[in-house]
Amino acid sequence: MKKTLTVLIAAGALLGAAGCSAPTQDTTAETCARVQTVGAGPTSNEDKAGMIRLANRLRPVEATASADLKTPLHSIIEFLDESAKETPDSAKLQEMQGAYTSAGQALSAACGGGQ
């Protein structure tokens, strides 16, 4: 789980350097590179502000993500958004936990981070 979060934080840093105006769909390798850059950034998902920053850094990546990674990124962003709410719905979070975990595994598998 920590590796996935590191990958997500790294993608944010790449996003800042590369901009977010890519008009076409990225390849899986390009999406992975962007996700890894977000994961390498200084964002922490330990607190609500960190979850909001991480979700906001992932949104532009999701917009141009490869078809294989668009759904996992969307699941992660949805989970982070719900978690960062002032009063998160614990039942909804519980329901989203499986998709969030699967999304992290899918990113790790696609991006080679599961080693």
Side-chain angles (χ1 to χ4, degrees):
M1 191 70 148
K2 282 186 176 184
K3 289 182 182 181
T4 301
L5 293 175
T6 302
V7 167
L8 294 175
I9 293 170
L14 176 64
L15 204 81
C20 53
S21 61
T24 60
Q25 185 176 29
D26 292 342
T27 65
T28 297
E30 291 167 335
T31 302
C32 286
R34 292 180 71 194
V35 168
Q36 289 170 347
T37 301
V38 167
T43 302
S44 167
N45 74 336
E46 297 289 323
D47 60 358
K48 290 185 186 296
M51 285 186 261
I52 292 168
R53 283 191 299 273
L54 181 57
N56 286 340
R57 288 180 177 180
L58 286 173
R59 287 181 214 291
V61 177
E62 178 198 13
T64 60
S66 67
D68 293 341
L69 297 179
K70 191 172 282 285
T71 300
L73 286 171
H74 183 73
S75 295
I76 290 168
I77 291 169
E78 280 186 325
F79 184 84
L80 291 171
D81 285 344
E82 184 63 34
S83 297
K85 287 183 178 178
E86 189 70 32
T87 54
D89 182 344
S90 59
K92 187 173 182 181
L93 280 175
Q94 180 108 12
E95 183 179 308
M96 298 170 88
Q97 182 68 44
Y100 176 73
T101 302
S102 295
Q105 292 170 346
L107 276 176
S108 290
C111 299
Q115 294 134 341

